[in-house]
Amino acid sequence: MNEPMIQARSMMWVAKPLIGVALATTLAGCIELTAPERPIEINLNIAITQEVVVRLAQDVRELRETNPGAF
Amino acid sequence: MKGRTKIILAAAAALAAVGGGASYAATAIQARTADQLRATGLAGEQFNGYMGIVNDAPSDIRARVNSINITRRAAYTEVAGRRRVKIEDVGAAMACEIFATSILPGQYFMLSDGIWRQRQGNAPVPRPSYCG
């Protein structure tokens, strides 16, 4: 009666180590990343001059009118 | 059958949990334009001329903000080409305009320090020095 059950369990005993081996090989395939020696610098200080902003004032007001809902 | 009942119960529980924030969600779902998004308190204006997500906004709000930013980027690019300036310059100029006119009391804005702040009452929104 219980034979198929027992068979399934014994299958698991065989399968478990196999899963372990499969996992180990997958992990072995991972690429190892090391941090670069010098930190990556991202410059957030974008130089924007008042002169340019003032010159664009009318243009941006027009953008608002031509793109309702976007600004 | 048992499994299905479980799923239905779980769905009902999830709906009940969402129900608590129903009014909040309703205003958020209807938010489509930039001013509506600002009014939800889930999105705000940044000094670079683009909108940003303030808190843990739901995906529909994020999608709307992204869509608006794509429109803005295209608009800034067009002006930048015509006026022979950088796209960032046009964005900055627009931020100056938006900060001066469109952030209502309680709405969020972000300066170059990267911190979201709320406009306090009718106090003017601080702007970057290049706004003039």
Side-chain angles (χ1 to χ4, degrees):
Chain A
M1 266 285 248
N2 283 333
E3 224 169 77
M5 198 63 168
I6 292 160
Q7 248 180 7
R9 277 197 192 154
S10 58
M11 285 277 278
M12 274 310 284
W13 281 110
V14 179
K16 270 185 187 167
L18 281 178
I19 293 166
V21 170
L23 268 176
T25 39
T26 320
L27 289 175
C30 285
I31 301 161
E32 209 175 299
L33 287 177
T34 47
E37 278 175 27
R38 271 192 297 166
I40 302 159
E41 280 180 34
I42 300 164
N43 191 5
L44 291 173
N45 299 316
I46 305 158
I48 289 157
T49 60
Q50 191 175 333
E51 183 259 326
V52 174
V53 169
V54 170
R55 192 148 52 89
L56 292 170
Q58 188 54 39
D59 290 290
V60 296
R61 267 180 233 127
E62 283 168 16
L63 277 188
R64 301 191 83 172
E65 286 163 28
T66 50
N67 296 278
F71 296 100
Chain B
M1 256 328 230
K2 246 189 177 174
R4 195 175 288 178
T5 317
K6 248 186 199 173
I7 291 167
I8 291 167
L9 280 176
L15 274 174
V18 169
S23 58
Y24 190 52
T27 52
I29 285 162
Q30 284 156 11
R32 295 200 58 78
T33 62
D35 50 356
Q36 287 167 350
L37 286 165
R38 287 190 289 265
T40 64
L42 297 167
E45 292 292 344
Q46 304 175 125
F47 70 106
N48 58 7
Y50 296 93
M51 294 200 95
I53 300 293
V54 179
N55 293 310
D56 210 4
S59 60
D60 56 323
I61 293 285
R62 287 168 188 274
R64 276 305 298 155
V65 167
N66 278 338
S67 156
I68 276 179
N69 282 342
I70 289 165
T71 305
R72 287 187 180 188
R73 172 91 185 176
Y76 298 159
T77 306
E78 184 270 318
V79 171
R82 194 151 42 81
R83 293 279 179 240
R84 302 194 180 256
V85 294
K86 286 181 283 180
I87 298 168
E88 294 80 38
D89 292 337
V90 187
M94 182 60 90
C96 293
E97 165 76 12
I98 291 171
F99 276 41
T101 63
S102 307
I103 295 166
L104 303 179
Q107 295 184 358
Y108 286 89
F109 60 93
M110 184 202 279
L111 296 167
S112 58
D113 60 5
I115 296 166
W116 284 113
R117 289 189 176 80
Q118 261 180 307
R119 182 178 176 191
Q120 302 297 319
N122 279 318
V125 179
R127 301 195 303 164
S129 57
Y130 50 70
C131 287

